[in-house]
Amino acid sequence: MVNFDLDILLATEEYILELDKFHLERNEHFAINMYFHAATDATKILTDDESRKYFLVQFDKYAMFLGTLEEHGIHEDDLKNQRPIVKLSDSKLLSFAKENMQTQVANTDRGPISHFVIRTFDQEFHVLSHSDPIVIDMGKK
C-alpha cells in the first residue's frame, strides 16, 4: 500500500476504511481527530489483518461534526461512487446547515464551507469545514 494523503483518499476507490477512534478536542488547533484503519478488501478489515494501514484525519477547530447519514436522512447524488472520502462544495446537507445552523454567518472570514463525507465499512460521517483536513499516515497498527 502507498502512503496515505488526502488526495489519494479523495481519488481512489481501492480502499475500505474502518473507524478506530474519534476525538472531539476542545480548545485545540485540531478539533476533530479521526483514526482509521484502511485495507483493500473488507476481509482484512474484519479480521484485523496486520497489513492494514493506519492513519489520522484531523479537521481544524472550526469544523462541525454533523454525524452520520442515518441521522439526517438526506441522500446526495454526488455520493454514487466508492471513494472513502468525498468533498462536496454544494450539497443538500450543506444547504440544510446554512439554513438552519447559520453557517453562512459564523466564521465568514475563513472562506467557504465544504461538506466532507468519510465512508467507513459500515457507516458514513459528515463534517463541514472551511479547510481541508490533514491526513497523517501512521503506518500499521
Side-chain angles (χ1 to χ4, degrees):
M1 284 190 189
V2 297
N3 286 334
F4 277 88
D5 64 18
L6 183 61
D7 293 333
I8 289 171
L9 293 168
L10 288 169
T12 188
E13 293 186 4
E14 186 175 333
Y15 296 105
I16 298 169
L17 306 183
E18 176 186 44
L19 182 67
D20 180 43
K21 293 186 268 185
F22 178 88
H23 298 275
L24 294 174
E25 302 293 336
R26 193 172 193 180
N27 298 321
E28 295 292 328
H29 178 66
F30 293 102
I32 302 172
N33 294 321
M34 302 174 83
Y35 294 83
F36 295 94
H37 292 283
T40 54
D41 67 59
T43 303
K44 291 179 180 180
I45 292 289
L46 294 171
T47 61
D48 294 336
D49 189 285
E50 290 184 15
S51 68
R52 297 176 306 168
K53 295 288 281 185
Y54 194 66
F55 64 98
L56 167 63
V57 176
Q58 294 181 320
F59 286 94
D60 72 18
K61 63 183 176 180
Y62 298 104
M64 294 167 272
F65 179 72
L66 295 181
T68 63
L69 183 65
E70 295 81 20
E71 293 173 6
H72 301 291
I74 299 173
H75 299 281
E76 299 290 345
D77 291 335
D78 291 338
L79 297 179
K80 294 179 181 175
N81 59 60
Q82 298 298 315
R83 293 190 302 264
I85 297 181
V86 179
K87 178 181 177 180
L88 305 169
S89 57
D90 185 33
S91 70
K92 293 175 188 172
L93 188 56
L94 195 50
S95 296
F96 174 83
K98 286 178 182 177
E99 291 172 15
N100 297 289
M101 300 170 64
Q102 298 183 353
T103 56
Q104 75 278 13
V105 177
N107 301 314
T108 55
D109 59 325
R110 297 192 54 82
I113 296 176
S114 295
H115 174 191
F116 290 89
V117 181
I118 303 172
R119 297 168 155 165
T120 66
F121 179 70
D122 53 1
Q123 62 188 345
E124 294 179 348
F125 299 99
H126 297 265
V127 177
L128 301 182
S129 180
H130 293 279
S131 59
D132 288 350
I134 296 171
V135 175
I136 301 172
D137 189 332
M138 303 182 79
K140 297 178 183 177
K141 180 179 178 193

